[in-house]
């Protein structure tokens, strides 16, 4: 999972990118970077850590120019290290090129092998670097044609921003797995911004125009904005936006393909209330991701919503646990129970999803220790049983609790009095019920269903850094 931003035509573009990256920080906390362009000259800076740690005022002063792209990283393919930080920035025979990618290319291993066979040298272990090589090789046509030609070779998920000699290009894969929005800066007409989520626009005072369409390529230069397509729009009928963005990943104050994430989460909670009501005293969200679902669940059942768990927002990421004394207290460090609310009560705990089950187990214990009489766990999405190969860092299958355990076993493991997930069909219906431009959306739900819209395993097995993800009984071709 990552966040990307691109700006063209604005004074101090890197500073705007910096603010936008702050708004996208939830999409990646491992590294941050910006490439700025003054005319056709690029300046780059990437570092490990949060945006405010990685990019200082001095860096921003050096990143002068009227165009910029930025990236926050959450490693999916490739280890967490500086040489994997993005944007990638290179010089090639055509000038300066920089790329920032959100998603995961499912045929990266083959392409890398092919490119290495032709003499290409890779600096990183990520799938995204393949894009840099493919783009640098296309130089025959105009810029849009070259980008389309390069993108036609890659498969899987990409929402990308590219700078070529100061020209901004934004593109989304034909299935539209990951989001990408277009906005306009007020500074003057022609100043455009693209970002993974429109929450980035709010902070920088940009107006949201629309979502970039699946398969669409936008070129933004001194003449304004021109469009091209990786596949013809008529051929790109079945799109597959990631439903997990609505469940967990995107910020609730975002809109994805015109659909409010907050309202989608409330609808998921309300649907869960219909499928799995509980005779309880209070509904308590597991902060922060369970909040909007809990509102929907409580309202649908007419139960009081109480903030029975309080989250500390000041936990440093670099904190290291003392080795012996207090082990495994990660959750305790982040959350604390409100005993006066929980004691003696029958509590429904609401969360958006369960991945490994370890966090849920600790929270159930915390709530019970605080005196709750009953603790019921309600999960506003279907059981996560499959890894994601399209840009979300779900663990390998062996670590996904629902891949190997029945609902009863998960209840036993988490020590909840009862547990219920939302059904897959209700999950789709709930998200689709929220008004949007696209009235009949079709989502990717592969991590829930195992129905992978782009085949993956054969390819990913050959990418060394992904071996771990396809271990165990994932050893089969999926489609
Ligand atoms: P678990 O009980 O499975 O250990 O943790 C469940 C929690 O993990 C939920 O609150 C959910 O919001 C969160 N979660 C779901 N997907 C992801 C993810 O991809 N990354 C991280 N860091 N947390 C996730
Ligand atoms: Fe989203 Fe899951 Fe599909 Fe990955 S597999 S794109 S997380 S719905
Ligand atoms: Mg959570």
């Amino acid at each position: 999972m990552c966040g990307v931003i691109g700006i063209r035509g604005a004074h101090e573009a890197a500073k705007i990118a910096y603010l936008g990256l702050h708004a996208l920080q939830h999409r990646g906390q491992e590294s941050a970077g910006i490439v700025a362009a003054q005319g056709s000259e690029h300046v780059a800076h990437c570092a490990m850590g949060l945006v405010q740690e990685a990019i200082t005022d001095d860096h921003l002063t050096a990143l002068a120019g009227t165009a910029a792209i930025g990236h926050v990283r959450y490693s999916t393919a490739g280890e967490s290290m500086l040489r994997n930080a993005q944007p990638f920035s290179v010089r090639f025979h055509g000038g300066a090129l920089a790329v920032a990618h959100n998603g995961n290319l499912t045929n990266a291993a083959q392409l890398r092998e092919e490119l290495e066979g032709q003499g290409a040298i890779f600096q990183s272990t990520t799938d995204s670097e393949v894009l840099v090589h493919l783009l640098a090789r296309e130089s025959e046509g105009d810029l849009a044609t070259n980008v389309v030609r390069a993108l036609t070779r890659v498969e899987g998920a990409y929402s990308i921003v590219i700078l070529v000699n100061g020209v901004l290009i934004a593109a989304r894969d034909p299935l539209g797995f990951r989001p990408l929005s277009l906005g306009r800066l007020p500074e003057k007409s022609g100043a455009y911004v693209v970002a993974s989520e429109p929450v980035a626009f709010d902070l920088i005072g940009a107006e949201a125009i629309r979502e970039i369409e699946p398969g669409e390529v936008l070129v933004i230069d001194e003449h304004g904005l021109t469009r091209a397509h990786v596949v013809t729009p008529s051929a790109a009928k079945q799109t597959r936006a990631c439903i997990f963005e609505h469940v967990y990943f995107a910020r609730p104050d975002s809109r994805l393909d015109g659909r409010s994430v907050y309202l989608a989460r409330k609808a998921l909670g309300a649907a869960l209330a219909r499928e799995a009501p509980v005779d309880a005293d209070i509904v308590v969200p597991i902060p922060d991701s369970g909040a909007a679902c809990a509102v929907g669940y409580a309202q649908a059942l007419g139960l009081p919503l109480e903030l029975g768990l309080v989250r500390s927002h000041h936990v440093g990421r670099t904190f290291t646990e003392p080795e012996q004394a207090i082990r495994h207290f990660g959750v305790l460090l982040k959350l604390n129970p409100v005993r006066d609310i929980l004691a003696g009560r029958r509590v429904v705990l609401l969360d958006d999803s369960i991945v490994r089950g370890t966090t849920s187990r600790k929270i159930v214990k915390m709530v019970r220790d605080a005196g709750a009489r009953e603790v019921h766990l309600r999960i506003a999405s279907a059981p996560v049983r499959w890894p994601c190969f399209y840009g979300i860092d779900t663990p390998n299958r062996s670590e996904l609790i629902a891949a190997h355990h029945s609902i009863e076993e998960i209840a036993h493991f988490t020590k909840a009095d009862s547990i219920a997930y939302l059904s897959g069909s209700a999950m789709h219906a709930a998200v689709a019920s929220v008004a949007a431009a696209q009235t009949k959306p079709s989502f990717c739900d592969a991590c829930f269903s195992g129905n992978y819209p782009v085949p993956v395993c054969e390819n990913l097995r050959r990418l060394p850094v992904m071996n771990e993800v396809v271990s165990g009984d994932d050893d089969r071709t999926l489609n």
Side-chain angles (χ1 to χ4, degrees), residues 82-169:
L82 188 56
R83 68 193 167 100
N84 285 343
Q86 296 191 32
F88 289 115
S89 178
V90 297
R91 285 205 67 82
F92 73 121
H93 58 93
L97 168 67
V99 176
H101 171 217
N102 172 207
N104 210 344
L105 305 178
T106 51
N107 64 339
Q110 285 125 299
L111 289 172
R112 183 171 175 144
E113 220 170 270
E114 183 188 315
L115 290 161
E116 282 177 334
Q118 293 162 6
I121 295 164
F122 282 76
Q123 300 173 18
S124 79
T125 57
T126 73
D127 60 321
S128 311
E129 199 181 354
V130 165
L131 283 168
V132 179
H133 285 271
L134 292 174
L135 288 163
R137 273 158 192 249
E138 297 292 344
S139 55
E140 302 268 289
D142 61 25
L143 192 51
T145 312
N146 292 341
V147 171
V148 168
R149 211 180 286 149
L151 291 178
T152 309
R153 301 227 40 217
V154 298
E155 288 164 15
Y158 56 85
S159 281
I160 45 168
V161 287
I162 305 166
L163 269 185
V164 183
N165 301 321
V167 176
L168 174 65
I169 298 147

Side-chain angles (χ1 to χ4, degrees), residues 1 157 177-178 240-245 384 386-394 427 443-448 451-453:
M1 219 40 230
F177 282 105
R178 308 260 73 90
R240 290 282 183 227
C242 167
I243 202 163
F244 206 62
E245 292 269 356
V384 177
W386 301 89
C388 174
F389 296 103
Y390 311 126
I392 288 205
D393 183 28
T394 42
M427 179 175 74
F443 292 105
C444 173
D445 68 354
C447 51
F448 302 105
N451 297 324
Y452 289 90

Side-chain angles (χ1 to χ4, degrees), residues 74 244 248-249 286 289 351-360 392-393:
Y74 182 142
F244 206 62
Y248 167 76
F249 218 87
I286 297 185
S289 56
D351 209 351
D352 63 283
S353 59
I354 291 183
V355 181
R356 292 182 171 89
T358 46
T359 314
S360 316
I392 288 205
D393 183 28

